[in-house]
Amino acid sequence: MAAIQTKLLSADAEGISKASALLRDGALVAIPTETVYGLAADATSDLAVAAIFDAKGRPTFNPLIVHVASLKEAEKIAEFDADAIRLAEAFWPGPLTLVLPLKPGARISKLVSAGLQTVALRVPAQAEARAVLKALGRPLAAPSANPSGRISPTTAAHVIEGLGGRIAAVLDAGPCSVGLESTILATRPTPVLLRPGGLPRDAIEACLGSPVADRQEGEGITAPGQLTSHYAPKGSLRLNAASARPGEVMLGFGPVAADLNLSPGSDLREAAARLFDCLHMLDAKGAKQIAVSPIPDVGLGLAINDRLRRAAAPRG
Ligand code: TXA
Ligand code: MG
């Protein structure tokens, strides 16, 4: 792909209107969401969606999340069962993605769902993402705006670092507030957690009034977030480390001696919001061996530990 000049758009009315115009023309624009920056394209255009896979170097069998402005728009694309309606009403807009049966005749490029009969849908909470969706009046397909297999971006600078020269523009609204990708859930035939994320599992279980099952290995599609090595920094990670060994850089959590700390006050929300930025910073420092403090396996800690385990996994 020939290098193009990636524009940095500001998060004001002018930036939002430029981003929408580019997207309407089939270009790729990275947009801020409350979870991570997404690499957006018009979900109704085969050409625009194909360009996402090309820019990310993403295997085409991995389907994409479709972002819409409201539950009403989502209902034009997928079949909602009672659990799905209840979850959407409780948690949208927000960091929850629902995998549901695709409605026959929905105006969504087949590339988005990679040939599956289901579609992943989300209504983002970030004001700028909502403004772009409203101005465009079309659904947006958007994976995280990073080269395939690399750390997800939580700032416009992370996006430029990974995809600068390959995409038309980035709409810069500062750092993402949640900082981890959305929680992905399929509701049929019974609720199954496909990826832990920014909405804690216990919130979903409390809303449904019943436990949510885990995805069984080898079941259904292989999603990139479910591949063993993913979200990978360049250095190697040692998890559950009490302190750094010689030659290691310490990524702390809580009141420990550390080079970088996810949350000195042991706040999981803060740690989630800072995780990818800290991994990007360690990459920028050229850290080769990274020791990471233990993170409690509760609430958002489940999703943080999921990302850390994948980042620590042997590279294929
Ligand atoms: O927070 C997020 O979810 C961000 C922002 C941009 O919205 N997006 C994101 O997208 O993380 P991505 O492409 O990096 O991850 C999407 C995940 C993948 O693991 C993909 O395989 C899964 O969603 N997925 C998409 N459609 C699916 C389907 N029909 N069935 C099962 N999994 C699906
Ligand atoms: Mg991703």
Side-chain angles (χ1 to χ4, degrees):
M1 191 193 277
I4 51 174
Q5 177 71 37
T6 301
K7 289 194 192 75
L8 193 61
L9 304 174
S10 50
D12 51 19
E14 194 190 339
I16 284 159
S17 115
K18 281 187 181 156
S20 322
L22 285 166
L23 288 163
R24 190 166 295 118
D25 285 347
L28 300 182
V29 179
I31 58 165
T33 85
E34 73 280 21
T35 59
V36 299
Y37 276 73
L39 181 57
D42 177 353
T44 68
S45 159
D46 288 331
L47 268 180
V49 175
I52 293 181
F53 292 104
D54 192 23
K56 279 187 64 105
R58 178 173 178 133
T60 43
F61 53 77
N62 287 322
L64 306 173
I65 296 176
V66 175
H67 299 68
V68 288
S70 63
L71 172 56
K72 201 164 146 247
E73 291 300 313
E75 283 177 309
K76 294 180 187 163
I77 299 171
E79 310 277 4
F80 279 68
D81 56 279
D83 281 344
I85 294 276
R86 187 191 287 200
L87 291 166
E89 284 177 346
F91 300 117
W92 280 356
L96 172 68
T97 294
L98 294 171
V99 171
L100 300 168
L102 187 60
K103 257 195 180 160
R107 281 189 57 228
I108 293 292
S109 163
K110 293 237 171 349
L111 281 173
V112 168
S113 49
L116 297 170
Q117 299 302 308
T118 54
V119 62
L121 284 166
R122 173 163 115 76
V123 177
Q126 177 94 24
E128 291 79 7
R130 299 173 65 73
V132 170
L133 282 166
K134 208 169 149 214
L136 185 66
R138 293 180 203 165
L140 285 173
S144 51
N146 51 286
S148 198
R150 306 296 308 171
I151 305 162
S152 291
T154 56
T155 66
H158 296 161
V159 177
I160 299 279
E161 197 184 295
L163 295 175
R166 302 177 72 89
I167 64 176
V170 184
L171 183 60
D172 183 0
C176 302
S177 60
V178 175
L180 287 178
E181 297 86 347
S182 60
T183 300
I184 306 183
L185 190 88
T187 56
R188 291 190 190 181
T190 54
V192 177
L193 185 72
L194 299 178
R195 176 178 74 183
L199 179 67
R201 172 191 201 130
D202 35 16
I204 295 173
E205 293 180 334
C207 173
L208 292 176
S210 57
V212 162
D214 284 301
R215 173 183 165 273
Q216 300 301 308
E217 272 316 311
E219 198 182 86
I221 62 139
T222 308
Q226 294 147 10
L227 293 176
T228 316
S229 169
H230 196 63
Y231 309 102
K234 293 181 186 119
S236 64
L237 266 71
R238 185 169 65 85
L239 305 184
N240 297 314
S243 59
R245 293 174 184 159
E248 285 182 337
V249 176
M250 184 77 196
L251 177 59
F253 176 82
V256 294
D259 300 276
L260 280 177
N261 201 314
L262 291 168
S263 173
S266 306
D267 176 350
L268 287 171
R269 203 176 273 250
E270 181 185 31
R274 282 176 49 75
L275 175 67
F276 290 142
D277 192 38
C278 285
L279 294 178
H280 277 279
M281 283 194 274
L282 290 167
D283 261 3
K285 275 172 176 265
K288 297 238 166 15
Q289 289 165 300
I290 305 158
V292 190
S293 292
I295 313 286
D297 224 7
V298 291
L300 281 177
L302 289 168
I304 297 173
N305 283 323
D306 171 79
R307 303 304 187 273
L308 284 172
R309 274 194 300 276
R310 291 174 203 288
R315 314 289 153 78

